[in-house]
Amino acid sequence: MADTHDHSGHDPDGHDHGGAGHLHGATDKKRVLIAACLTAGFMVAEALGGLFTGSLALLADAGHMLADAIALGLAWYAFHLAGRPATGQLTYGFGRVKTLVAYTNGIAIFVIALWIVYEAWARLLTPAPVLGGPMLVVAILGLLVNIGSFLVLHGGDRESLNMRGAILHVLGDLLGSAAAIVAAVVILATGWTPIDPILSVLVSLLILSTAWSLMRAAAHVLLEGVPPTLDRDLIARDLETTIQGVREVHHMHVWSLDGTSNMATLHACLDEGVDAYWAVSAIKKRLASEHGISHATVEPEFGQCADEADDHDHEHDAAPHHGHYH
């Protein structure tokens, strides 16, 4: 009888824990650390500049940078943990920590953006003087730092939810600095200070929409949903029609560990006389080469499904039929 949990069909090039995936992780870890240091280093200067000039836009951007420095630090630590081997209790290792941090980052962005909107409303009700000249200098320096951080992160693996979360944080800082520059120019040219809180709110709304997209993607992974690029039922039918001797595929689950490494478990009902080891190997190779599923557990069956042996609701030894995807 074949080893039903054999992993010999794994394609090393498609597995996230080796080869190119490992190099991506090491490079992304360094990129995130550099961005965290740049962000934390300038955050203090921008906060002091915001207090000195009275600019909400600068304070808002400094608030972003404070949260982002923490978030980038967490993202770096997530990459660090992901490199640790699996344990007896965490059999998949720490790869999903990156997705958890990405989801947390999205929540943090929401909280910061709502705080900025609240502060902006208070500023509109009670306008405060703003020093446009010093504000412009600090905002330009902040923009340069944020551009540097963005370029560092932009070269990383943008399929990684953790890296996407880090890029989103820095992009928010970049937009905040750009808004502060525009506000400073308007204040210097016209003296109209309400532009400061107004632009702060616009930047917050832009960031909120992107944060929502990140949180949805991370939540989908945490809930072990089928990756958006895959169709479970189509994959099952593909295996039934392309692998000789596979009569039916059921009990199929497809999910992603961290947004990049796809996994699957399934039962394969085989025709009598088919070599189970050959069929399992063929299914694994097909999943890896055609569907990007690098880690699969396949249970071969002859006749009745073992999971349904005591259940009168299903008869898998009948003619081939679909709909048994639990």
Side-chain angles (χ1 to χ4, degrees):
M1 185 68 176
D3 180 1
T4 58
H5 295 279
D6 172 59
H7 298 291
S8 60
H10 293 177
D11 182 2
D13 294 330
H15 203 293
D16 190 52
H17 298 292
H22 178 75
L23 292 176
H24 256 310
T27 303
D28 289 348
K29 181 180 174 181
K30 293 179 181 177
R31 292 178 184 275
V32 169
L33 181 60
I34 292 172
C37 291
L38 288 173
T39 302
F42 191 76
M43 177 270 299
V44 176
E46 191 164 40
L48 293 174
L51 293 172
F52 176 73
T53 62
S55 168
L56 177 62
L58 285 182
L59 286 174
D61 198 36
H64 271 298
M65 296 186 82
L66 172 61
D68 292 353
I70 297 173
L72 290 169
L74 288 174
W76 173 85
Y77 189 60
F79 278 119
H80 176 71
L81 283 179
R84 293 186 178 181
T87 67
Q89 285 71 40
L90 297 171
T91 56
Y92 280 124
F94 296 82
R96 187 158 283 185
V97 173
K98 295 182 291 185
T99 306
L100 183 61
V101 168
Y103 185 79
T104 305
N105 280 348
I107 295 176
I109 294 170
F110 257 83
V111 173
I112 294 169
L114 291 175
W115 174 79
I116 292 171
V117 171
Y118 172 79
E119 286 294 321
W121 176 251
R123 286 290 184 96
L124 287 172
L125 293 177
T126 309
V130 178
L131 301 177
M135 174 185 175
L136 181 61
V137 174
V138 176
I140 291 175
L141 292 175
L143 180 66
L144 294 175
V145 171
N146 289 323
I147 288 175
S149 297
F150 181 77
L151 291 177
V152 169
L153 294 177
H154 194 260
D157 180 14
R158 278 169 284 172
E159 294 298 317
S160 166
L161 286 175
N162 195 34
M163 180 57 73
R164 282 172 56 189
I167 292 174
L168 175 58
H169 274 285
V170 173
L171 182 60
D173 290 334
L174 198 154
L175 290 174
S177 295
I181 290 173
V182 173
V185 170
V186 171
I187 291 171
L188 286 173
T190 67
W192 192 56
T193 56
I195 187 65
D196 183 51
I198 289 174
L199 287 181
S200 299
V201 171
L202 290 178
V203 170
S204 297
L205 294 178
L206 288 174
I207 296 172
L208 279 174
S209 64
T210 313
W212 176 248
S213 175
L214 173 67
M215 288 176 63
R216 286 185 60 187
H220 190 74
V221 173
L222 292 173
L223 291 172
E224 298 189 341
V226 177
T229 57
L230 300 178
D231 186 316
R232 180 197 62 176
D233 296 347
L234 287 179
I235 294 173
R237 287 195 288 271
D238 174 68
L239 295 176
E240 292 169 349
T241 56
T242 59
I243 307 298
Q244 185 177 4
V246 175
R247 183 155 56 92
E248 182 191 357
V249 171
H250 57 268
H251 280 318
M252 186 172 190
H253 301 274
V254 181
W255 73 100
S256 176
L257 183 64
D258 57 5
T260 57
S261 179
N262 298 325
M263 306 177 134
T265 61
L266 61 96
H267 291 192
C269 187
L270 307 179
D271 293 329
E272 292 296 330
V274 173
D275 182 81
Y277 178 84
W278 176 88
V280 169
S281 297
I283 290 172
K284 287 174 177 286
K285 290 176 181 177
R286 181 75 180 178
L287 289 173
S289 63
E290 298 298 323
H291 303 290
I293 298 175
S294 57
H295 184 121
T297 300
V298 181
E299 182 175 332
E301 299 172 345
F302 294 92
Q304 189 175 17
C305 173
D307 286 355
E308 306 293 346
D310 299 322
D311 192 353
H312 63 275
D313 292 332
H314 296 277
E315 291 292 339
H316 292 295
D317 55 349
H321 53 282
H322 301 283
H324 296 268
Y325 302 116
H326 304 295

